[in-house]
Amino acid sequence: MKKGKLFVLSGPSGVGKGTLRERALNDIKNLVYSISCTTRKPREGEINGVQYWFVTREKFMEDISLNLFLEYAHVHDDFYGTLRQNVIDELEKGNNVLLEIDVQGALQVKEKMDDAVLIFVAPPSVEELERRLRGRHTESIEAMKTRLTNAVNELSLKDKYDYVIVNDNLDSACEELRKIIL
Ligand code: ADP
Ligand code: 5GP
């Protein structure tokens, strides 16, 4: 059976990655999402095993020492990582796998899996990014500041990606993503 392909979606917090991901998972057959582990606390409405596997720092450190992660990174004061085995199993089954991870993680994946396709989602402007992040009402002022500062660093790395999608009009951005994956 033909093996699946690995797609990695990155971009600053609030740019619309989650929105694009949901649309892609609804629209595209044989595309599965790899649920990451994080030490971040669940936001209201988030459920363990749906958005993330929410784990303690101790558990995360243990999984690092057991070499269970394909990649992991320290992002906005917490750890986030992709469990390797689940990704490998899905690819072997012939499914395409979508990761939604930060830039440091994406570059680690590319080093280990050369045929991974890296897709960067960019905002039409930093002002619009801030508007979206504020509009989402999920972060404290402090957390939002950290995310906006990190956004500038992340944007400077977009040239390392195979594709850059500017998420201005949502439908057009979804269509661009669909074309890359299909
Ligand atoms: P991320 O997962 O990158 O942090 P989200 O998907 O949570 O971002 O999107 C952040 C906010 O921006 C959400 O309120 C979402 O509805 C909104 N959003 C996403 N894409 C667009 C777009 N193209 N135009 C306007 N608002 C958008
Ligand atoms: P949030 O806390 O808003 O859900 O995610 C914060 C950041 O962590 C986002 O940029 C998201 O892409 C990134 N992230 C989520 N899961 C992973 C992961 O498994 N690995 C890495 N490196 N980053 C991740």
Side-chain angles (χ1 to χ4, degrees), residues 12-19 100 128 132 135-136 167-170:
S13 188
V15 74
K17 300 179 300 293
T19 310
E100 191 213 302
E128 172 61 16
R132 286 183 195 172
R136 202 171 63 179
N167 182 18
D168 191 353
N169 176 283
L170 182 61

Side-chain angles (χ1 to χ4, degrees), residues 112-162:
K112 290 178 188 158
M113 298 172 86
D114 189 38
D115 52 354
V117 179
L118 266 50
I119 307 161
F120 190 92
V121 185
S125 66
V126 176
E127 292 73 25
E128 172 61 16
L129 181 66
E130 187 168 352
R131 237 186 323 272
R132 286 183 195 172
L133 208 48
R134 281 184 195 284
R136 202 171 63 179
H137 301 297
T138 50
E139 257 65 43
S140 64
I141 299 284
E142 212 42 55
M144 214 159 59
K145 273 192 197 152
T146 313
R147 280 157 194 263
L148 285 169
T149 311
N150 290 349
V152 178
N153 295 331
E154 285 161 344
L155 283 165
S156 72
L157 291 169
K158 69 180 190 316
D159 294 345
K160 297 194 181 291
Y161 280 64
D162 299 303

Side-chain angles (χ1 to χ4, degrees), residues 68-102:
L68 297 187
F69 290 115
L70 170 63
E71 63 73 37
Y72 69 91
H74 191 237
V75 192
H76 317 313
D77 303 331
D78 276 295
F79 285 94
Y80 294 80
T82 305
L83 292 168
R84 179 188 293 107
Q85 198 55 48
N86 179 43
V87 172
I88 304 280
D89 290 347
E90 291 296 343
L91 293 174
E92 293 291 342
K93 278 195 261 172
N95 286 324
N96 290 327
V97 178
L98 184 65
L99 306 183
E100 191 213 302
I101 64 176
D102 91 308

